[in-house]
Amino acid sequence: MPSRTTLIAATAALIALSAPLAFAAPAPGPAPRAAAAAWDTDRAASAYTADPGAVTASGSENPDTTPGRATDGNGTTRWSSNAADDAWIRVDLGATLRINQVKLEWEAAYGREYVLEVSKNGTDWTTFFTETEGTGGTVTAHTHPQEVTGRYVRMRGIARATAWGYSLFSFQVYGGEPAPASATRANLALNHPAYGDLYQHAGNSPAYITDGGWPADLKADRTRWSSDWNADRWVGVDLGATSTISSVDLYWEAAYAVDYEIQVSDDNRNWRTVHRPSAAEVAARRADVKSPADAVGRHDTITLPTPATGRYVRMLGKERRSFYNPAPSTAQFGYSLYEFQVWGTGGSANAAYPPLPRNPGGAYNTTFFDDFTGSGLDRSKWRVVRTGTEMSPVNGESQAYVDSPDTIRTENGALVLESKYCKGCASTPNGTFDFTSGRVDTNTRFDFTYGRVSARMKLPVGDGFWPAFWMLGSDVDNPAVSWPGAGETDIMENIGYGDWTSSALHGPGYSADGNVGKSQTFPNGGRADQWHTYGVEWTPEGMTFTVDGQVVQRTSRQKLESTRGKWVFDHNQYVILNLALGGAYPAGHNKVTQPYWGLPQSSVDRIARGGIKAEIDWVRVEQK
């Protein structure tokens, strides 16, 4: 289910950079503060080694599958629970840690539904990961941006996938002790909350810049923050209290900043710049252009001429490094940082991530509605989108969107989006097209955050016909955000098959073919060319997609950020209705390449005869 705004050039650049990047050995810097365990230590395994009684469970299948077998570091042994849905396994880490990830390696008897929980006292538990559709295998739950601090971690089963108990080869926990307040010079950032804007995926979140480590040779693809591909990106740390900062150490991966600022803040909103590389330093960094395989990272030690005071410290990127891709062509990617150390006095171990927003109470009220009973499209509610004016061609689609009653009109109390064929007849600033079609949206008319969004629709069925009902983040046209950073919510897509539709979410780390999506098949012989109601309930905690009132996809913010990437659905979106022809999504299924990508001759002939249209009875938005 690829997006209609796939960035082909960006995808090619990602492939080019997918190999591990090489680094030079770093220059010697200040030694980090001694920690209780190395940054890449499995703290569950070390707790078990220190005290086998630290790992307990609700029960075991037999004496050879006791709970310690999940934390003994042996990938061939396992814990197997008693045969009960509510079975659990728990580890006492021996100290209070900020936990950045938990990794489960399931045997065939896996959990279909379960939660991961943390506790400071072994009695009061907080859930930080919920699985409702488990498939076994290896599951890595990253905790950013949740506050997951405690001494005890457990997996608590809800529903088994088999008649057996739960069976884990491995239960791994990673994290470290947060740096406490210090009256002497120390790395105040160690295992503290870290923040940033858009990053590549869950495994490259800001949390990893303060975990206390980097690979010894600075060559391995180990824990690190990696931004999306935009120069205007930042990452920073909360020291927990106002501190006196004397120096900062940045351990860069190859994708370092050519130019950047170090800034401090008292409130994480208003920033003061305390360092920026000199023009000569920037020039030298800019000149270091290599292929991704040959590129090297940097270790920047920044000693402030005058100590700065503040609670928050960040790196604000100004210019990204260039890579040969291949030579003499160059490309720029994101910023990538292994470790961000802040040296000084002050700080506090009480720094914490703020709670994630919760669903509001109250009843829903209609805030937008159109039943298309007027004599024409209500342009106070809808913007007509034209190829070459409001948008450029995307995804290899064959149509040009035009403003014409032939393609966009109201008829018999419904909005009609119809496709037309005329060889070479559609001339746009982006070239000439053989097809025209209709697209409307509520951008600048009705942009909103959270609510229930629904529409009753009847779709055309035929290879390569691609009607859609969806939303885009209202900041998608901002170059500092763009797609997929703005977020895309596909409430309904159909690519010409009569028996199914799909829904999906796209964002950084989960876009195009890697989206978070589902397909649904109409029950009881239903078809897409019959009237159906498609909807989504969008809340601060997640998205629930429905067809005719039946849930077809449920995606929580908690799970998406734990396993895929940043949740970018916390700001305005707008509604879109369109009828596309051919392109990446249909072609991925029907494999058609001629006469148009994803659109076979039989479908071209049907469009030429007329009557290929999507009909929309009504659109409604309800909000609390």
Side-chain angles (χ1 to χ4, degrees):
M1 289 159 275
S3 163
R4 287 161 296 281
T5 46
T6 303
L7 303 180
I8 301 299
T11 302
L14 177 60
I15 293 170
L17 195 60
S18 61
L21 302 180
F23 295 84
R33 184 179 65 86
W39 62 282
D40 54 355
T41 297
D42 173 6
R43 301 300 294 264
S46 60
Y48 174 74
T49 299
D51 176 13
V55 185
T56 55
S58 57
S60 300
E61 181 183 4
N62 59 60
D64 292 327
T65 58
T66 54
R69 299 298 178 91
T71 58
D72 62 4
N74 184 337
T76 65
T77 62
R78 61 188 177 93
W79 165 68
S80 183
S81 78
N82 51 309
D85 282 330
D86 61 353
W88 53 266
I89 183 172
R90 184 185 88 165
V91 58
D92 176 358
L93 301 172
T96 297
L97 309 181
R98 169 158 286 107
I99 296 157
N100 56 49
Q101 66 173 280
V102 173
K103 185 176 180 180
L104 305 178
E105 294 181 348
W106 289 101
E107 195 245 7
Y110 60 88
R112 189 178 75 249
E113 299 181 33
Y114 58 91
V115 296
L116 296 176
E117 300 173 312
V118 66
S119 173
K120 288 183 167 66
N121 57 18
T123 301
D124 303 305
W125 296 91
T126 300
T127 298
F128 62 89
F129 179 80
T130 301
E131 177 60 81
T132 59
E133 299 175 312
T135 57
T138 298
V139 177
T140 301
H142 304 275
T143 63
H144 183 82
Q146 300 179 80
E147 176 60 19
V148 183
T149 303
R151 174 170 171 168
Y152 304 86
V153 179
R154 76 176 176 184
M155 187 288 297
R156 177 171 59 84
I158 298 173
R160 294 164 290 158
T162 72
W164 305 96
Y166 300 97
S167 183
L168 282 169
F169 286 119
S170 181
F171 181 14
Q172 302 172 31
V173 179
Y174 295 89
E177 294 85 350
S182 180
T184 59
R185 187 174 181 271
N187 175 18
L188 304 175
L190 185 63
N191 294 311
H192 273 234
Y195 302 90
D197 38 23
L198 299 178
Y199 50 92
Q200 286 190 9
H201 57 76
N204 289 148
S205 80
Y208 293 109
I209 65 166
T210 64
D211 66 0
W214 52 92
D217 60 1
L218 286 182
K219 293 182 179 180
D221 184 16
R222 302 298 292 271
T223 61
R224 59 189 174 93
W225 165 74
S226 185
S227 77
D228 71 339
W229 299 347
N230 195 297
D232 185 24
R233 293 293 177 257
W234 63 271
V235 67
V237 60
D238 177 6
L239 304 179
T242 300
S243 305
T244 300
I245 301 151
S246 58
S247 65
V248 171
D249 276 88
L250 303 177
Y251 289 86
W252 294 99
E253 201 225 21
Y256 58 71
V258 166
D259 189 13
Y260 63 93
E261 296 180 5
I262 298 297
Q263 299 181 320
V264 299
S265 172
D266 301 319
D267 56 12
N268 210 19
R269 292 186 300 274
N270 300 293
W271 296 91
R272 305 180 296 277
T273 298
V274 296
H275 171 78
R276 188 168 185 175
S278 68
E281 290 170 327
V282 170
R285 296 162 80 99
R286 186 182 295 131
D288 189 12
V289 181
K290 291 182 172 64
S291 70
D294 297 329
V296 297
R298 302 182 69 95
H299 171 200
D300 293 341
T301 295
I302 300 127
T303 302
L304 302 180
T306 302
T309 59
R311 172 171 172 169
Y312 303 88
V313 186
R314 76 174 182 177
M315 185 287 302
L316 173 64
K318 293 294 184 178
E319 181 182 338
R320 295 166 291 162
R321 186 185 189 182
S322 293
F323 297 85
Y324 288 126
N325 192 48
S329 299
T330 61
Q332 293 178 319
F333 308 105
Y335 302 106
S336 186
L337 191 62
Y338 284 122
E339 190 72 11
F340 190 143
Q341 297 180 337
V342 180
W343 296 85
T345 57
S348 169
N350 295 325
Y353 290 101
L356 296 182
R358 305 298 298 270
N359 292 343
Y364 279 105
N365 296 292
T366 298
T367 54
F368 178 94
F369 181 73
D370 197 345
D371 59 4
F372 306 107
T373 54
S375 58
L377 182 71
D378 185 345
R379 296 187 182 230
S380 69
K381 295 179 178 179
W382 299 97
R383 179 184 72 154
V384 174
V385 177
R386 298 161 294 171
T387 298
T389 305
E390 286 78 18
M391 67 173 291
S392 297
V394 292
N395 287 334
E397 298 164 15
S398 295
Q399 82 291 333
Y401 292 119
V402 298
D403 186 354
S404 166
D406 290 337
T407 58
I408 303 171
R409 63 184 180 275
T410 56
E411 186 175 273
N412 300 320
L415 172 66
V416 175
L417 304 177
E418 185 165 356
S419 296
K420 298 291 184 179
Y421 173 75
C422 181
K423 186 72 174 179
C425 290
S427 179
T428 77
N430 294 114
T432 301
F433 294 78
D434 296 339
F435 304 90
T436 57
S437 194
R439 171 168 166 159
V440 298
D441 65 37
T442 65
N443 187 19
T444 71
R445 274 70 165 173
F446 184 75
D447 300 74
F448 64 101
T449 303
Y450 306 134
R452 286 197 306 221
V453 188
S454 56
R456 186 170 183 259
M457 305 176 68
K458 184 164 69 171
L459 312 176
V461 170
D463 260 355
F465 303 157
W466 187 2
F469 169 39
W470 54 300
M471 299 188 290
L472 269 178
S474 298
D475 52 356
V476 69
D477 295 323
N478 180 348
V481 181
S482 67
W483 186 92
E488 175 180 330
T489 306
D490 297 332
I491 304 170
M492 184 286 303
E493 292 186 280
N494 179 270
I495 51 175
Y497 296 94
D499 59 345
W500 64 273
T501 60
S502 61
S503 52
L505 294 173
H506 301 257
Y510 49 100
S511 62
D513 288 342
N515 65 66
V516 177
K518 286 279 189 72
S519 60
Q520 69 85 30
T521 300
F522 293 105
N524 305 316
R527 287 177 55 84
D529 53 5
Q530 299 168 332
W531 288 104
H532 296 281
T533 300
Y534 305 92
V536 66
E537 183 174 21
W538 169 28
T539 74
E541 294 184 32
M543 300 264 198
T544 302
F545 297 83
T546 58
V547 176
D548 295 329
Q550 299 300 306
V551 174
V552 296
Q553 176 180 343
R554 198 187 307 272
T555 301
S556 71
R557 172 178 181 170
Q558 182 190 76
K559 182 178 176 181
L560 185 145
E561 290 198 299
S562 293
T563 59
R564 300 300 298 275
K566 183 179 176 65
W567 178 263
V568 290
F569 305 99
D570 55 0
H571 64 288
N572 276 355
Q573 296 191 91
Y574 58 88
V575 175
I576 306 169
L577 296 160
N578 68 279
L579 174 55
L581 301 172
Y585 190 11
H589 284 258
N590 62 30
K591 309 303 180 185
V592 170
T593 59
Q594 297 294 330
Y596 303 90
W597 193 34
L599 191 68
Q601 186 62 50
S602 59
S603 293
V604 174
D605 294 341
R606 288 185 58 194
I607 298 168
R609 290 195 298 268
I612 302 305
K613 58 187 178 181
E615 299 174 76
I616 301 93
D617 185 17
W618 49 260
V619 177
R620 176 182 287 114
V621 178
E622 303 165 278
Q623 295 179 277
K624 292 182 178 180

